[in-house]
Amino acid sequence: MTDLSERIGERFEKMSRDEIAEFQSEALQTSVAQAAKSPWFAAKFKEMGLEPGDIKSRDDVVKLPFTTKNDLRLSYPAQMLAVDPTEVIRMHTSSGTTGKPTAIFHTRQDVSNWAELMARSLYIAGARPNDVFQNMSGYGLFTGGLGLHYGAERLGMWVIPAGPGNTARQITLIRDFHVTVVHATPSYAMHVAERMIAEGDDPKSLGIKIAALGAEPYTEEMRFKLQDLYGFKAMNSYGLSEMNGPGVAFECPYQNGMHLWEDSYIVEIINPQTLRPVPEGEIGELVLTTLRRAAMPIMRYRTRDLTRLITEKCPCGRQHVRIARFVGRSDDMLIIRGVNVFPSQIEEVLMRHKWLGGNYIIILTKAAALDQMTIKVEISRDGFDGTVETLRKLRGDLQRQLKEQIGFTANVEVVEPGSLPASEGKAKRVIDERTAG
Ligand code: ADP
Ligand code: ZN
């Protein structure tokens, strides 16, 4: 490991569109040949009558089979392993937000490539070796801990592996060691700020410059609220265990979509019903194929995350394609009285109000066979003047704006600050108490 540009893989970061295409065509052939060494893909390819040699360029990716979360579960524990088990040095599992976890394996080179992607991501977000970095993510099987940790070390920052929770200690560490860059879920970052305000403290006094925020969906309105509270730049960070973890896509200082590292992944956006590509720029399901992973190559992984491609040139000069802020996961979509609603649509309305805090939950129930939605949202300690009059007006405004946004009337309960369950990792925003039938 020598100079910075090598540590962060600058030659990949600066690739032109032509170089990316050429690299992808080569790398896809290698990745498919590698995948064929796993029992899972060997069987899949055979079933389809596909020889690894049939894949000659990146456009041939469409000839490959899709891989779903369920395939990963079926292949558990190690049907997708493509190397001798002695070559594996690490495994992770997905955090299991949506069911039984799945296991992902890495060789030494895989771990190193991941660290490079992560270092590159932090670099484009503005972090530099002289920054002090605090990682507030869970260590262990969850990839947000070790993933960010190895990347931040590779970049050369001073790393504080704080882990999640213990808010008072987080604040002390940030202060005492002059932390300039943090990584957290947006919901936890919000919780820390609100705790500080409750104690008469000001999050701005921490002097954090950059926050890498991800692992869960959040809106542009939530970003603005956090930036306002802390005075930092909040950079969107995307990844998933199946594709290593964080370091798949990251924002540059223009904060207009996340550059997705195309030297390591081939990107497709498909219509989840027809499985056909959507017209360029339209929203669909993100599908990713690993290009540089030896232990566990995955072909056309259906992430279930909904986004769109941004192909216009980014003012930062990097040519890796950008993906827009996620609408949510396809399985986050709520069907309420036959209407499709994403929690992000509700968050957008709530976060626009200066009298409201950053914590909310959505509760779904059934009354007389009709779906009911109740939104509980905390009032802000700051903006609210404490009068019943204001509260009444606020509820009325929220109900009207939500109706405009989602098309039906929701019950809104404005509650005391700190009264809803606080999030340390991924926030659980929806409680569905409707029973089937
Ligand atoms: P699980 O699928 O069990 O939650 P992961 O820890 O691998 O396991 O989480 C990855 C998922 O987290 C992604 O597929 C996506 O749904 C969500 N996610 C990660 N980063 C972001 C982000 N910046 N915006 C929206 N969603 C995100
Ligand atoms: Zn950019």
Side-chain angles (χ1 to χ4, degrees):
M1 262 333 106
T2 50
D3 70 337
L4 179 61
S5 74
E6 202 171 308
R7 293 208 300 270
I8 63 170
E10 200 176 54
R11 71 198 160 100
F12 292 113
E13 181 204 333
K14 296 211 161 144
M15 278 177 161
S16 67
R17 291 305 311 162
D18 286 347
E19 284 164 340
I20 289 171
E22 198 182 321
F23 183 88
Q24 285 191 328
S25 289
E26 285 273 320
L28 182 62
Q29 295 179 52
T30 313
S31 189
V32 170
Q34 183 65 16
K37 294 180 190 162
S38 74
W40 178 272
F41 283 108
K44 271 271 156 186
F45 293 166
K46 192 165 169 215
E47 193 185 301
M48 299 171 76
L50 185 91
E51 296 283 337
D54 297 342
I55 305 300
K56 295 191 174 65
S57 86
R58 57 99 49 229
D59 296 334
D60 290 334
V61 72
V62 295
K63 296 181 181 160
L64 293 166
F66 286 108
T67 306
T68 62
K69 187 101 172 172
N70 198 44
D71 291 335
L72 284 173
R73 288 184 184 131
L74 291 173
S75 75
Y76 185 90
Q79 291 282 302
M80 281 193 204
L81 186 62
V83 295
D84 189 87
T86 57
E87 283 187 55
V88 174
I89 65 159
R90 174 102 67 82
M91 73 172 264
H92 280 280
T93 67
S94 86
S95 55
T97 312
T98 57
K100 201 177 134 205
T102 53
I104 310 291
F105 313 103
H106 304 274
T107 64
R108 186 173 304 281
Q109 189 61 49
D110 292 339
V111 169
S112 174
N113 290 349
W114 178 16
E116 180 202 289
L117 282 179
M118 199 59 249
R120 206 196 290 174
S121 298
L122 288 163
Y123 182 86
I124 71 162
R128 291 297 176 269
N130 60 359
D131 279 305
V132 180
F133 174 72
Q134 184 156 318
N135 191 7
M136 309 192 197
S137 254
Y139 279 66
L141 288 168
F142 177 60
T143 52
L146 290 172
L148 263 290
H149 186 98
Y150 272 61
E153 281 192 355
R154 178 72 70 94
L155 178 58
M157 289 192 282
W158 168 333
V159 180
I160 306 178
N166 201 340
T167 304
R169 189 181 63 185
Q170 301 278 8
I171 296 166
T172 307
L173 285 167
I174 295 173
R175 274 230 162 87
D176 292 352
F177 296 95
H178 307 287
V179 168
T180 47
V181 182
V182 298
H183 172 242
T185 57
S187 55
Y188 187 60
M190 183 58 84
H191 173 66
V192 173
E194 293 186 335
R195 256 288 284 280
M196 290 183 76
I197 294 164
E199 286 160 6
D201 207 343
D202 180 3
K204 285 200 182 68
S205 70
L206 296 175
I208 303 168
K209 292 190 304 195
I210 297 166
L213 303 178
E216 63 185 9
Y218 60 115
T219 55
E220 202 61 20
E221 285 72 15
M222 175 74 96
R223 182 222 294 268
F224 291 145
K225 219 174 179 110
L226 285 164
Q227 292 192 150
D228 260 8
L229 286 167
Y230 283 96
F232 58 38
K233 269 192 120 164
M235 312 302 274
N236 201 0
S237 154
Y238 173 72
L240 63 166
S241 313
E242 293 80 1
M243 295 290 120
N244 294 345
V248 173
F250 224 89
E251 273 182 330
C252 70
Y254 289 90
Q255 295 180 299
N256 186 13
M258 295 177 276
H259 289 282
L260 194 145
W261 298 122
E262 291 180 275
D263 58 289
S264 297
Y265 307 96
I266 289 184
V267 191
E268 298 169 82
I269 307 274
I270 63 161
N271 174 323
Q273 267 82 48
T274 63
L275 306 184
R276 311 275 308 157
V278 298
E280 197 174 292
E282 279 184 21
I283 292 182
E285 179 179 353
L286 178 69
V287 172
L288 296 170
T289 299
T290 63
L291 290 177
R292 289 169 70 192
R293 206 160 65 180
M296 194 167 168
I298 300 183
M299 307 291 104
R300 305 186 85 194
Y301 184 63
R302 292 187 55 189
T303 65
R304 303 185 289 184
D305 293 324
L306 302 173
T307 184
R308 63 186 167 81
L309 291 185
I310 304 171
T311 48
E312 292 97 72
K313 278 216 162 88
C314 183
C316 81
R318 292 178 189 90
Q319 299 196 28
H320 292 266
V321 74
R322 281 171 294 158
I323 51 173
R325 186 176 287 286
F326 287 92
V327 180
R329 296 190 187 215
S330 52
D331 30 359
D332 278 347
M333 193 178 77
L334 308 170
I335 304 178
I336 303 163
R337 299 185 194 175
V339 181
N340 299 347
V341 178
F342 280 99
S344 59
Q345 293 175 284
I346 293 165
E347 181 177 301
E348 214 176 289
V349 171
L350 301 178
M351 293 303 124
R352 283 203 293 256
H353 283 267
K354 69 175 190 326
W355 289 330
L356 295 179
N359 202 1
Y360 67 94
I361 52 172
I362 300 164
I363 304 165
L364 302 174
T365 50
K366 231 175 179 112
L370 205 58
D371 295 332
Q372 307 287 335
M373 177 157 81
T374 302
I375 297 163
K376 292 191 182 185
V377 56
E378 289 179 6
I379 199 94
S380 153
R381 284 178 205 274
D382 259 2
F384 178 52
D385 62 9
T387 64
V388 177
E389 191 63 21
T390 306
L391 210 54
R392 196 176 296 134
K393 178 169 178 331
L394 184 57
R395 273 193 69 223
D397 285 352
L398 282 173
Q399 251 158 358
R400 189 170 33 77
Q401 288 157 359
L402 282 164
K403 179 151 195 201
E404 277 164 24
Q405 176 85 319
I406 58 181
F408 59 88
T409 305
N411 310 313
V412 178
E413 287 179 28
V414 182
V415 300
E416 287 280 308
S419 62
L420 296 176
S423 153
E424 287 187 355
K426 292 176 187 256
K428 185 164 168 32
R429 302 289 193 193
V430 179
I431 301 171
D432 196 344
E433 293 172 348
R434 298 174 295 182
T435 43

